[in-house]
Amino acid sequence: MATNPPKLKTKIAANERMKNLKETFESKYGESPLFYAFAPGRVNLIGEHIDYCGYSVLPMAIEQNILAAVSVNNSGKIQLANANPKYKDFSVSCSEEIAIDRDDPQWYYYFLCGVKGIQEKFGLNHLAGMSCVVDGTIPPSSGLSSSSALVCCSGLVTMEANQKSLSKVALAEICAKSERYIGTEGGGMDQSISFLAEAGTAKLIEFQPLRATDVKLPDGAVFVISNCCVEMNKAASSHYNIRVVECRIATKMLAQARGVDSSRLLKLAHVQMELKASLEEMLALVDEVLHPEPYSREEICKVLGITSEQFSTELLSANTQDMTQFKLHQRAKHVYGEAARVLQFKSVCDSEPANATRLLGELMNQSHASCRDLYECSCPELDQLVDICLAKDLLPWCIQTCSFLL
């Protein structure tokens, strides 16, 4: 795997999309782009909603991507335009503090997340002026990581425009952190696979430290990415962060039940490490400690010995302050079960049994059932799509788009 993002020479005339983007750029700014950058979207084969709990995931990049044409200048401004006319232009002064409106997650704020991340990494008091036109082929709000790909592309663009250099791992970590400026408390899978993906292989993405391992998929296996056409913008609602918060609270509750200092534990993986327990033992602990009925704020505060104010400031996010009910048993059960399925999925790929495709399909079916029933991050349209595929015995199906909370 290359350490730094590769720089490639491409004949624009031979690439219709880049040719069109170049013409749009020239029409918009009256000059030619200096360079182009792109970041791919991704589909997660298995490991749904567990990266922010500290567990490994198993995605692969897709051909659909975010592509940007860029020029660097002394205008003192960052000018942003989108090849799609439905998205409006935006500009910001290079000398002003970059402000990102969490309550209005427009496309350009995602771009500014990447800019801000690079600016803070290098302590840049004055950014290079840039003119950019962005083109995307990833369906928006479809669960294929269009927003994270935009943040990654922006980080790459800003690094290059300001003549800095970072490894792909460092870029992934910076972009994962900086996307949180928009309000989404993600775990880093999307940015990691966007930078660390390689042709012809899926990747096992592990965290702390971040690393990516090739996972060879079975010969002849076909993964169909199907879109149920229900859109969900993670930053535009609290649905995504609600699950993050519930897992955070479950972490505290499980640690408290076993006499572990929970003040420094924020992720379910941390509890497992502290207890030196297996995933199977953690699943049993969830059944023993957490009741299936929703928890109230008052009950959680009583168990953890904290005040209502501490609960709000230490456990909730800005957009989850109104939550009153928390399904801790179901969320923790999904996370530990899904973490085990990721390891099983990789084991099947590594051992290459004759029925590998069937085994992987069964694991993916279990993953969807858990997302639907325990994590409640599916929707009726997606469930119907899954049922249609199962009725036709199409396995393995990677039905990633559009899960309700992706």
Side-chain angles (χ1 to χ4, degrees), residues 78-154:
I78 296 174
Q79 301 182 91
L80 304 175
N82 200 300
N84 187 334
K86 72 177 283 189
Y87 300 113
K88 63 182 181 180
D89 297 354
F90 186 80
S91 67
V92 62
S93 171
C94 293
S95 59
E96 295 177 3
E97 181 179 355
I98 293 176
I100 296 166
D101 189 351
R102 292 185 173 193
D103 297 323
D104 184 29
Q106 299 292 328
W107 77 273
Y108 44 80
Y109 286 131
Y110 286 96
F111 193 99
L112 292 180
C113 283
V115 175
K116 190 176 179 71
I118 296 298
Q119 181 184 39
E120 293 184 346
K121 167 64 179 178
F122 291 103
L124 302 174
N125 294 323
H126 192 83
L127 292 159
M130 295 188 294
S131 296
C132 308
V133 176
V134 173
D135 178 58
T137 55
I138 309 169
S141 303
S142 65
L144 293 174
S145 195
S146 59
S147 57
S148 295
L150 179 55
V151 174
C152 290
C153 188
S154 167

